Amino acid sequence: MPAALRATVHDAAVATRAPYIYGILLTFDGTTILYVGQTISQTGALGRLSQHLSETMGATLRQRLQARYEITGIEGLALEFAAIRLGEQTGFWKDEPDYREAVESLVQYGMVNELCSRKLPVCVISRVQPNAYSRLAYVRAEADRVRNALVSWVGQHVKPAT
């Protein structure tokens, strides 16, 4: 009898339309990778995770894994997913991603620095580019809040290198 495929969702709000910065953490062949992204999908961050795991054009996690590690299939790999909802500032709620991308880029750059300083052996494979909104005080404050939450989450799943 085949084993059941499983997923645990700790808060169903992750499937509602809202602006999120999220992290996908998975390990294979002794390597732990982190993908950081942003979304305001109609199906929330959970819907965006579904796209990443699918075989569609929006599966940028799969695309990055294939480009970096020549992995074409992710079936059978366990992963962890965390999404942090952004605040109520109007820019985060627009369909255009500019403000969310500014937060995402600050979060990713901050994550790389934090992972190094804490000696957490994680390879960040997502790609970001800062924009002019990255200089706004409320964008920087939101990025700090999200980065702290993601660093804490990663720290629960990855042991420091010795």
Side-chain angles (χ1 to χ4, degrees):
M1 183 156 132
L5 302 176
R6 301 175 297 130
T8 302
V9 176
H10 294 282
D11 187 340
V14 75
T16 59
R17 183 181 187 276
Y20 297 95
I21 301 295
Y22 58 85
I24 304 170
L25 192 65
L26 59 97
T27 301
F28 60 91
D29 295 338
T31 301
T32 301
I33 66 105
L34 173 66
Y35 184 99
V36 176
Q38 62 79 26
T39 191
I40 192 166
S41 170
Q42 284 298 112
T43 53
L46 194 58
R48 185 65 184 111
L49 174 63
S50 177
Q51 287 178 315
H52 277 296
L53 301 179
S54 71
E55 294 179 345
T56 64
M57 291 298 293
T60 49
L61 171 65
R62 276 183 184 261
Q63 293 166 7
R64 294 298 300 142
L65 285 170
Q66 183 171 7
R68 174 79 190 221
Y69 299 102
E70 298 180 1
I71 292 176
T72 56
I74 59 174
E75 292 73 18
L77 293 178
L79 63 87
E80 294 291 331
F81 179 73
I84 294 88
R85 183 176 163 162
L86 297 178
E88 298 300 321
Q89 291 85 354
T90 305
F92 300 146
W93 287 82
K94 293 181 177 184
D95 286 336
E96 297 79 22
D98 298 343
Y99 287 89
R100 291 185 309 279
E101 287 176 346
V103 174
E104 175 191 18
S105 68
L106 292 169
V107 167
Q108 180 164 314
Y109 290 133
M111 288 291 299
V112 169
N113 289 332
E114 287 285 335
L115 294 170
C116 288
S117 69
R118 294 172 187 239
K119 295 181 174 30
L120 294 174
V122 176
C123 180
V124 179
I125 64 166
S126 45
R127 293 185 292 193
V128 293
Q129 187 169 324
N131 60 37
Y133 298 116
S134 300
R135 296 185 195 115
L136 297 174
Y138 78 89
V139 168
R140 296 179 83 69
E142 194 70 354
D144 287 345
R145 182 182 70 83
V146 171
R147 184 199 68 243
N148 289 338
L150 284 178
V151 166
S152 175
W153 168 72
V154 169
Q156 294 171 8
H157 296 284
V158 179
K159 295 193 183 325
T162 54

Tab-separated table of all heavy atoms in Angstrom, residues 57-114:
chain	number	residue	atom	x	y	z
A	57	MET	N	5.370	27.218	-15.574
A	57	MET	CA	6.333	28.290	-15.830
A	57	MET	C	6.660	29.067	-14.550
A	57	MET	O	7.734	29.622	-14.428
A	57	MET	CB	5.789	29.250	-16.893
A	57	MET	CG	5.708	28.643	-18.278
A	57	MET	SD	7.316	28.159	-18.922
A	57	MET	CE	8.076	29.760	-19.107
A	58	GLY	N	5.742	29.130	-13.592
A	58	GLY	CA	5.969	29.873	-12.360
A	58	GLY	C	6.758	29.115	-11.314
A	58	GLY	O	6.915	29.585	-10.193
A	59	ALA	N	7.283	27.960	-11.670
A	59	ALA	CA	7.999	27.113	-10.707
A	59	ALA	C	9.457	27.550	-10.589
A	59	ALA	O	10.376	26.795	-10.902
A	59	ALA	CB	7.891	25.654	-11.123
A	60	THR	N	9.685	28.756	-10.091
A	60	THR	CA	11.053	29.272	-10.049
A	60	THR	C	11.942	28.501	-9.075
A	60	THR	O	13.151	28.440	-9.281
A	60	THR	CB	11.083	30.778	-9.735
A	60	THR	OG1	10.254	31.033	-8.608
A	60	THR	CG2	10.597	31.592	-10.922
A	61	LEU	N	11.374	27.906	-8.041
A	61	LEU	CA	12.184	27.049	-7.165
A	61	LEU	C	12.761	25.891	-7.976
A	61	LEU	O	13.967	25.623	-7.923
A	61	LEU	CB	11.365	26.512	-5.997
A	61	LEU	CG	12.060	25.443	-5.137
A	61	LEU	CD1	13.269	26.018	-4.415
A	61	LEU	CD2	11.085	24.831	-4.155
A	62	ARG	N	11.926	25.217	-8.722
A	62	ARG	CA	12.407	24.108	-9.572
A	62	ARG	C	13.458	24.606	-10.569
A	62	ARG	O	14.472	23.945	-10.800
A	62	ARG	CB	11.250	23.483	-10.353
A	62	ARG	CG	10.465	22.452	-9.596
A	62	ARG	CD	9.402	21.863	-10.544
A	62	ARG	NE	8.566	20.933	-9.862
A	62	ARG	CZ	8.719	19.607	-9.920
A	62	ARG	NH1	9.690	19.078	-10.616
A	62	ARG	NH2	7.906	18.811	-9.269
A	63	GLN	N	13.214	25.756	-11.168
A	63	GLN	CA	14.143	26.311	-12.147
A	63	GLN	C	15.505	26.605	-11.518
A	63	GLN	O	16.543	26.302	-12.101
A	63	GLN	CB	13.563	27.586	-12.764
A	63	GLN	CG	12.340	27.344	-13.617
A	63	GLN	CD	11.580	28.621	-13.942
A	63	GLN	OE1	12.021	29.725	-13.645
A	63	GLN	NE2	10.405	28.464	-14.536
A	64	ARG	N	15.506	27.187	-10.322
A	64	ARG	CA	16.766	27.492	-9.643
A	64	ARG	C	17.492	26.211	-9.233
A	64	ARG	O	18.714	26.132	-9.335
A	64	ARG	CB	16.523	28.381	-8.421
A	64	ARG	CG	16.001	29.771	-8.743
A	64	ARG	CD	16.952	30.615	-9.570
A	64	ARG	NE	18.197	30.787	-8.857
A	64	ARG	CZ	19.403	30.794	-9.411
A	64	ARG	NH1	19.536	30.639	-10.698
A	64	ARG	NH2	20.483	30.951	-8.690
A	65	LEU	N	16.745	25.201	-8.762
A	65	LEU	CA	17.361	23.920	-8.403
A	65	LEU	C	17.993	23.260	-9.620
A	65	LEU	O	19.085	22.698	-9.540
A	65	LEU	CB	16.342	22.988	-7.761
A	65	LEU	CG	15.955	23.308	-6.325
A	65	LEU	CD1	14.771	22.452	-5.899
A	65	LEU	CD2	17.132	23.111	-5.386
A	66	GLN	N	17.299	23.333	-10.738
A	66	GLN	CA	17.837	22.726	-11.949
A	66	GLN	C	19.083	23.481	-12.421
A	66	GLN	O	20.090	22.865	-12.772
A	66	GLN	CB	16.794	22.706	-13.059
A	66	GLN	CG	17.298	22.024	-14.317
A	66	GLN	CD	16.209	21.809	-15.340
A	66	GLN	OE1	15.088	22.268	-15.193
A	66	GLN	NE2	16.536	21.102	-16.398
A	67	ALA	N	19.032	24.805	-12.394
A	67	ALA	CA	20.171	25.594	-12.853
A	67	ALA	C	21.380	25.433	-11.938
A	67	ALA	O	22.513	25.323	-12.403
A	67	ALA	CB	19.778	27.075	-12.941
A	68	ARG	N	21.140	25.391	-10.643
A	68	ARG	CA	22.251	25.361	-9.680
A	68	ARG	C	22.782	23.955	-9.418
A	68	ARG	O	23.978	23.741	-9.289
A	68	ARG	CB	21.760	26.002	-8.385
A	68	ARG	CG	22.676	25.963	-7.222
A	68	ARG	CD	23.740	27.020	-7.315
A	68	ARG	NE	24.716	26.766	-6.268
A	68	ARG	CZ	25.274	27.678	-5.538
A	68	ARG	NH1	24.983	28.919	-5.755
A	68	ARG	NH2	26.127	27.357	-4.625
A	69	TYR	N	21.862	22.985	-9.295
A	69	TYR	CA	22.254	21.631	-8.878
A	69	TYR	C	21.927	20.547	-9.905
A	69	TYR	O	22.112	19.386	-9.626
A	69	TYR	CB	21.582	21.276	-7.549
A	69	TYR	CG	21.974	22.188	-6.435
A	69	TYR	CD1	21.121	23.200	-6.013
A	69	TYR	CD2	23.205	22.054	-5.797
A	69	TYR	CE1	21.479	24.059	-4.976
A	69	TYR	CE2	23.576	22.912	-4.767
A	69	TYR	CZ	22.707	23.907	-4.367
A	69	TYR	OH	23.063	24.751	-3.362
A	70	GLU	N	21.389	20.932	-11.037
A	70	GLU	CA	20.994	19.997	-12.085
A	70	GLU	C	19.986	18.972	-11.582
A	70	GLU	O	19.992	17.807	-11.990
A	70	GLU	CB	22.219	19.334	-12.707
A	70	GLU	CG	23.142	20.334	-13.368
A	70	GLU	CD	24.374	19.719	-13.991
A	70	GLU	OE1	24.524	18.476	-13.942
A	70	GLU	OE2	25.180	20.476	-14.528
A	71	ILE	N	19.117	19.408	-10.666
A	71	ILE	CA	18.047	18.556	-10.151
A	71	ILE	C	16.790	18.868	-10.948
A	71	ILE	O	16.348	20.013	-11.007
A	71	ILE	CB	17.780	18.827	-8.659
A	71	ILE	CG1	18.970	18.368	-7.835
A	71	ILE	CG2	16.502	18.173	-8.193
A	71	ILE	CD1	18.849	18.676	-6.368
A	72	THR	N	16.215	17.872	-11.572
A	72	THR	CA	15.014	18.102	-12.368
A	72	THR	C	13.742	17.700	-11.639
A	72	THR	O	12.669	18.218	-11.932
A	72	THR	CB	15.087	17.336	-13.710
A	72	THR	OG1	15.301	15.946	-13.425
A	72	THR	CG2	16.212	17.868	-14.575
A	73	GLY	N	13.832	16.787	-10.699
A	73	GLY	CA	12.652	16.347	-9.971
A	73	GLY	C	12.810	16.582	-8.483
A	73	GLY	O	13.872	16.322	-7.923
A	74	ILE	N	11.772	17.087	-7.857
A	74	ILE	CA	11.836	17.311	-6.416
A	74	ILE	C	10.896	16.372	-5.663
A	74	ILE	O	10.772	16.466	-4.450
A	74	ILE	CB	11.537	18.775	-6.042
A	74	ILE	CG1	10.147	19.197	-6.517
A	74	ILE	CG2	12.614	19.697	-6.583
A	74	ILE	CD1	9.744	20.575	-6.051
A	75	GLU	N	10.283	15.465	-6.402
A	75	GLU	CA	9.410	14.497	-5.764
A	75	GLU	C	10.206	13.707	-4.737
A	75	GLU	O	11.344	13.326	-4.969
A	75	GLU	CB	8.791	13.555	-6.805
A	75	GLU	CG	7.812	14.230	-7.744
A	75	GLU	CD	8.466	15.132	-8.777
A	75	GLU	OE1	9.682	15.025	-9.032
A	75	GLU	OE2	7.741	15.995	-9.320
A	76	GLY	N	9.614	13.490	-3.583
A	76	GLY	CA	10.269	12.734	-2.528
A	76	GLY	C	11.100	13.582	-1.585
A	76	GLY	O	11.554	13.084	-0.561
A	77	LEU	N	11.321	14.848	-1.920
A	77	LEU	CA	12.080	15.725	-1.035
A	77	LEU	C	11.131	16.398	-0.045
A	77	LEU	O	10.109	16.957	-0.435
A	77	LEU	CB	12.812	16.815	-1.831
A	77	LEU	CG	13.937	16.373	-2.755
A	77	LEU	CD1	14.516	17.572	-3.484
A	77	LEU	CD2	15.020	15.668	-1.972
A	78	ALA	N	11.472	16.332	1.225
A	78	ALA	CA	10.684	17.028	2.240
A	78	ALA	C	11.129	18.483	2.276
A	78	ALA	O	12.288	18.799	2.011
A	78	ALA	CB	10.884	16.374	3.602
A	79	LEU	N	10.223	19.365	2.590
A	79	LEU	CA	10.573	20.773	2.694
A	79	LEU	C	9.800	21.423	3.820
A	79	LEU	O	8.785	20.908	4.282
A	79	LEU	CB	10.340	21.505	1.376
A	79	LEU	CG	8.905	21.581	0.825
A	79	LEU	CD1	8.154	22.777	1.381
A	79	LEU	CD2	8.960	21.665	-0.684
A	80	GLU	N	10.315	22.548	4.260
A	80	GLU	CA	9.656	23.389	5.252
A	80	GLU	C	9.304	24.693	4.562
A	80	GLU	O	10.034	25.159	3.680
A	80	GLU	CB	10.581	23.656	6.446
A	80	GLU	CG	10.903	22.438	7.271
A	80	GLU	CD	9.704	21.903	8.047
A	80	GLU	OE1	8.812	22.698	8.405
A	80	GLU	OE2	9.673	20.684	8.291
A	81	PHE	N	8.202	25.282	4.976
A	81	PHE	CA	7.717	26.518	4.364
A	81	PHE	C	7.243	27.459	5.457
A	81	PHE	O	6.547	27.038	6.376
A	81	PHE	CB	6.561	26.178	3.409
A	81	PHE	CG	5.947	27.366	2.727
A	81	PHE	CD1	6.622	28.021	1.711
A	81	PHE	CD2	4.689	27.822	3.087
A	81	PHE	CE1	6.056	29.107	1.068
A	81	PHE	CE2	4.113	28.900	2.446
A	81	PHE	CZ	4.795	29.545	1.430
A	82	ALA	N	7.647	28.705	5.372
A	82	ALA	CA	7.183	29.722	6.315
A	82	ALA	C	6.845	30.981	5.536
A	82	ALA	O	7.568	31.343	4.590
A	82	ALA	CB	8.251	30.026	7.353
A	83	ALA	N	5.760	31.621	5.899
A	83	ALA	CA	5.348	32.864	5.251
A	83	ALA	C	5.060	33.900	6.326
A	83	ALA	O	4.403	33.606	7.319
A	83	ALA	CB	4.114	32.622	4.386
A	84	ILE	N	5.549	35.101	6.092
A	84	ILE	CA	5.310	36.204	7.003
A	84	ILE	C	4.498	37.246	6.255
A	84	ILE	O	4.918	37.730	5.190
A	84	ILE	CB	6.636	36.823	7.525
A	84	ILE	CG1	7.400	35.827	8.392
A	84	ILE	CG2	6.353	38.057	8.359
A	84	ILE	CD1	8.308	34.944	7.647
A	85	ARG	N	3.335	37.541	6.804
A	85	ARG	CA	2.460	38.533	6.172
A	85	ARG	C	3.033	39.923	6.396
A	85	ARG	O	3.470	40.256	7.492
A	85	ARG	CB	1.065	38.430	6.776
A	85	ARG	CG	0.076	39.370	6.144
A	85	ARG	CD	-1.292	39.147	6.716
A	85	ARG	NE	-2.117	40.297	6.399
A	85	ARG	CZ	-3.425	40.302	6.440
A	85	ARG	NH1	-4.073	39.212	6.817
A	85	ARG	NH2	-4.099	41.371	6.138
A	86	LEU	N	3.035	40.706	5.327
A	86	LEU	CA	3.516	42.075	5.423
A	86	LEU	C	2.448	42.966	6.034
A	86	LEU	O	1.268	42.597	6.103
A	86	LEU	CB	3.922	42.589	4.039
A	86	LEU	CG	5.085	41.851	3.377
A	86	LEU	CD1	5.378	42.415	1.999
A	86	LEU	CD2	6.324	41.909	4.251
A	87	GLY	N	2.845	44.160	6.441
A	87	GLY	CA	1.957	45.107	7.099
A	87	GLY	C	0.904	45.694	6.172
A	87	GLY	O	0.761	45.308	5.013
A	88	GLU	N	0.207	46.658	6.695
A	88	GLU	CA	-0.947	47.243	6.002
A	88	GLU	C	-0.588	48.406	5.077
A	88	GLU	O	-1.486	49.009	4.489
A	88	GLU	CB	-1.982	47.709	7.037
A	88	GLU	CG	-2.541	46.579	7.883
A	88	GLU	CD	-3.248	45.507	7.058
A	88	GLU	OE1	-3.953	45.844	6.079
A	88	GLU	OE2	-3.095	44.318	7.390
A	89	GLN	N	0.675	48.738	4.921
A	89	GLN	CA	1.060	49.837	4.043
A	89	GLN	C	0.548	49.558	2.633
A	89	GLN	O	0.671	48.457	2.116
A	89	GLN	CB	2.576	50.034	4.021
A	89	GLN	CG	3.150	50.552	5.317
A	89	GLN	CD	3.440	49.443	6.318
A	89	GLN	OE1	3.118	48.272	6.106
A	89	GLN	NE2	4.057	49.805	7.426
A	90	THR	N	-0.004	50.573	2.009
A	90	THR	CA	-0.657	50.444	0.703
A	90	THR	C	0.248	49.805	-0.349
A	90	THR	O	-0.203	48.979	-1.134
A	90	THR	CB	-1.126	51.832	0.213
A	90	THR	OG1	-1.953	52.413	1.222
A	90	THR	CG2	-1.895	51.727	-1.083
A	91	GLY	N	1.516	50.173	-0.362
A	91	GLY	CA	2.434	49.654	-1.374
A	91	GLY	C	2.553	48.140	-1.376
A	91	GLY	O	2.694	47.518	-2.431
A	92	PHE	N	2.471	47.533	-0.205
A	92	PHE	CA	2.584	46.081	-0.110
A	92	PHE	C	1.380	45.380	-0.715
A	92	PHE	O	1.468	44.227	-1.124
A	92	PHE	CB	2.762	45.635	1.336
A	92	PHE	CG	3.977	46.189	2.015
A	92	PHE	CD1	3.944	46.479	3.365
A	92	PHE	CD2	5.158	46.425	1.323
A	92	PHE	CE1	5.061	46.990	4.018
A	92	PHE	CE2	6.278	46.936	1.950
A	92	PHE	CZ	6.230	47.223	3.303
A	93	TRP	N	0.234	46.047	-0.742
A	93	TRP	CA	-1.026	45.445	-1.184
A	93	TRP	C	-1.325	45.678	-2.668
A	93	TRP	O	-2.322	45.200	-3.179
A	93	TRP	CB	-2.169	45.964	-0.330
A	93	TRP	CG	-2.137	45.372	1.038
A	93	TRP	CD1	-1.383	45.779	2.095
A	93	TRP	CD2	-2.856	44.230	1.477
A	93	TRP	NE1	-1.596	44.957	3.174
A	93	TRP	CE2	-2.503	44.006	2.828
A	93	TRP	CE3	-3.784	43.376	0.870
A	93	TRP	CZ2	-3.029	42.963	3.568
A	93	TRP	CZ3	-4.307	42.340	1.616
A	93	TRP	CH2	-3.932	42.138	2.945
A	94	LYS	N	-0.475	46.405	-3.362
A	94	LYS	CA	-0.671	46.649	-4.789
A	94	LYS	C	-0.361	45.380	-5.577
A	94	LYS	O	0.445	44.557	-5.164
A	94	LYS	CB	0.247	47.769	-5.273
A	94	LYS	CG	-0.105	49.114	-4.700
A	94	LYS	CD	0.823	50.177	-5.245
A	94	LYS	CE	0.422	51.535	-4.717
A	94	LYS	NZ	1.250	52.594	-5.293
A	95	ASP	N	-1.009	45.250	-6.732
A	95	ASP	CA	-0.707	44.108	-7.593
A	95	ASP	C	0.733	44.176	-8.110
A	95	ASP	O	1.376	43.149	-8.280
A	95	ASP	CB	-1.679	44.044	-8.770
A	95	ASP	CG	-3.063	43.568	-8.352
A	95	ASP	OD1	-3.180	42.877	-7.315
A	95	ASP	OD2	-4.040	43.894	-9.050
A	96	GLU	N	1.215	45.396	-8.366
A	96	GLU	CA	2.596	45.551	-8.806
A	96	GLU	C	3.518	45.154	-7.653
A	96	GLU	O	3.314	45.563	-6.525
A	96	GLU	CB	2.890	47.010	-9.207
A	96	GLU	CG	2.066	47.490	-10.382
A	96	GLU	CD	0.637	47.881	-9.992
A	96	GLU	OE1	0.392	48.187	-8.803
A	96	GLU	OE2	-0.224	47.856	-10.868
A	97	PRO	N	4.567	44.398	-7.931
A	97	PRO	CA	5.378	43.819	-6.858
A	97	PRO	C	6.486	44.723	-6.306
A	97	PRO	O	7.213	44.310	-5.405
A	97	PRO	CB	5.993	42.594	-7.524
A	97	PRO	CG	6.141	43.002	-8.948
A	97	PRO	CD	4.914	43.845	-9.238
A	98	ASP	N	6.648	45.949	-6.796
A	98	ASP	CA	7.824	46.761	-6.474
A	98	ASP	C	8.117	46.889	-4.977
A	98	ASP	O	9.261	46.717	-4.549
A	98	ASP	CB	7.700	48.164	-7.082
A	98	ASP	CG	7.616	48.136	-8.596
A	98	ASP	OD1	7.966	47.100	-9.190
A	98	ASP	OD2	7.189	49.146	-9.181
A	99	TYR	N	7.117	47.215	-4.177
A	99	TYR	CA	7.352	47.387	-2.739
A	99	TYR	C	7.690	46.047	-2.072
A	99	TYR	O	8.575	45.980	-1.222
A	99	TYR	CB	6.138	48.015	-2.055
A	99	TYR	CG	5.962	49.477	-2.376
A	99	TYR	CD1	5.225	49.889	-3.484
A	99	TYR	CD2	6.531	50.456	-1.569
A	99	TYR	CE1	5.058	51.226	-3.779
A	99	TYR	CE2	6.372	51.807	-1.846
A	99	TYR	CZ	5.633	52.189	-2.961
A	99	TYR	OH	5.478	53.518	-3.245
A	100	ARG	N	6.971	44.983	-2.462
A	100	ARG	CA	7.261	43.668	-1.893
A	100	ARG	C	8.656	43.204	-2.314
A	100	ARG	O	9.381	42.608	-1.527
A	100	ARG	CB	6.191	42.657	-2.312
A	100	ARG	CG	4.835	42.904	-1.686
A	100	ARG	CD	3.842	41.816	-2.024
A	100	ARG	NE	3.741	41.518	-3.455
A	100	ARG	CZ	3.017	42.238	-4.325
A	100	ARG	NH1	2.326	43.278	-3.914
A	100	ARG	NH2	2.969	41.891	-5.587
A	101	GLU	N	9.030	43.484	-3.560
A	101	GLU	CA	10.366	43.105	-4.026
A	101	GLU	C	11.452	43.865	-3.271
A	101	GLU	O	12.529	43.323	-3.036
A	101	GLU	CB	10.487	43.332	-5.531
A	101	GLU	CG	9.717	42.303	-6.337
A	101	GLU	CD	9.742	42.561	-7.826
A	101	GLU	OE1	10.136	43.678	-8.260
A	101	GLU	OE2	9.340	41.651	-8.579
A	102	ALA	N	11.176	45.103	-2.886
A	102	ALA	CA	12.146	45.855	-2.088
A	102	ALA	C	12.350	45.184	-0.741
A	102	ALA	O	13.485	44.996	-0.291
A	102	ALA	CB	11.667	47.301	-1.902
A	103	VAL	N	11.254	44.785	-0.096
A	103	VAL	CA	11.355	44.069	1.182
A	103	VAL	C	12.074	42.744	0.961
A	103	VAL	O	12.995	42.388	1.709
A	103	VAL	CB	9.962	43.835	1.807
A	103	VAL	CG1	10.069	42.974	3.059
A	103	VAL	CG2	9.274	45.150	2.120
A	104	GLU	N	11.680	42.013	-0.065
A	104	GLU	CA	12.282	40.711	-0.355
A	104	GLU	C	13.795	40.813	-0.535
A	104	GLU	O	14.546	40.005	0.013
A	104	GLU	CB	11.647	40.141	-1.631
A	104	GLU	CG	12.249	38.851	-2.125
A	104	GLU	CD	11.762	38.466	-3.518
A	104	GLU	OE1	11.232	39.343	-4.251
A	104	GLU	OE2	11.923	37.298	-3.870
A	105	SER	N	14.262	41.814	-1.273
A	105	SER	CA	15.699	41.941	-1.504
A	105	SER	C	16.436	42.249	-0.199
A	105	SER	O	17.485	41.661	0.074
A	105	SER	CB	15.999	43.003	-2.561
A	105	SER	OG	15.693	44.297	-2.099
A	106	LEU	N	15.888	43.149	0.616
A	106	LEU	CA	16.521	43.454	1.899
A	106	LEU	C	16.535	42.228	2.812
A	106	LEU	O	17.521	41.976	3.513
A	106	LEU	CB	15.805	44.620	2.578
A	106	LEU	CG	15.958	45.980	1.888
A	106	LEU	CD1	14.997	46.995	2.497
A	106	LEU	CD2	17.395	46.462	1.943
A	107	VAL	N	15.439	41.476	2.796
A	107	VAL	CA	15.371	40.261	3.610
A	107	VAL	C	16.415	39.259	3.151
A	107	VAL	O	17.161	38.702	3.960
A	107	VAL	CB	13.953	39.630	3.567
A	107	VAL	CG1	13.960	38.213	4.138
A	107	VAL	CG2	12.959	40.507	4.316
A	108	GLN	N	16.507	39.033	1.849
A	108	GLN	CA	17.456	38.028	1.362
A	108	GLN	C	18.894	38.430	1.661
A	108	GLN	O	19.677	37.608	2.137
A	108	GLN	CB	17.283	37.775	-0.129
A	108	GLN	CG	18.273	36.735	-0.630
A	108	GLN	CD	17.913	36.166	-1.967
A	108	GLN	OE1	16.775	35.815	-2.195
A	108	GLN	NE2	18.892	36.079	-2.846
A	109	TYR	N	19.263	39.670	1.403
A	109	TYR	CA	20.631	40.098	1.694
A	109	TYR	C	20.910	39.993	3.191
A	109	TYR	O	21.996	39.561	3.604
A	109	TYR	CB	20.879	41.521	1.194
A	109	TYR	CG	20.912	41.630	-0.314
A	109	TYR	CD1	20.202	42.621	-0.969
A	109	TYR	CD2	21.651	40.735	-1.086
A	109	TYR	CE1	20.226	42.723	-2.351
A	109	TYR	CE2	21.675	40.826	-2.470
A	109	TYR	CZ	20.962	41.833	-3.093
A	109	TYR	OH	20.984	41.919	-4.463
A	110	GLY	N	19.941	40.378	4.002
A	110	GLY	CA	20.103	40.256	5.455
A	110	GLY	C	20.210	38.810	5.900
A	110	GLY	O	20.974	38.483	6.816
A	111	MET	N	19.438	37.926	5.255
A	111	MET	CA	19.483	36.499	5.583
A	111	MET	C	20.876	35.935	5.310
A	111	MET	O	21.412	35.172	6.118
A	111	MET	CB	18.460	35.706	4.759
A	111	MET	CG	17.026	35.892	5.141
A	111	MET	SD	16.595	35.211	6.729
A	111	MET	CE	16.942	33.483	6.525
A	112	VAL	N	21.456	36.277	4.190
A	112	VAL	CA	22.789	35.776	3.848
A	112	VAL	C	23.780	36.183	4.942
A	112	VAL	O	24.569	35.356	5.414
A	112	VAL	CB	23.238	36.280	2.459
A	112	VAL	CG1	24.710	35.991	2.208
A	112	VAL	CG2	22.374	35.654	1.370
A	113	ASN	N	23.727	37.440	5.363
A	113	ASN	CA	24.636	37.907	6.420
A	113	ASN	C	24.383	37.178	7.733
A	113	ASN	O	25.332	36.769	8.413
A	113	ASN	CB	24.499	39.417	6.614
A	113	ASN	CG	25.072	40.183	5.445
A	113	ASN	OD1	25.971	39.719	4.766
A	113	ASN	ND2	24.523	41.355	5.197
A	114	GLU	N	23.123	37.007	8.109
A	114	GLU	CA	22.780	36.326	9.365
A	114	GLU	C	23.194	34.854	9.336
A	114	GLU	O	23.707	34.327	10.321
A	114	GLU	CB	21.279	36.431	9.649
A	114	GLU	CG	20.831	37.792	10.089
A	114	GLU	CD	21.213	38.121	11.515
A	114	GLU	OE1	21.394	37.188	12.331
A	114	GLU	OE2	21.350	39.305	11.812
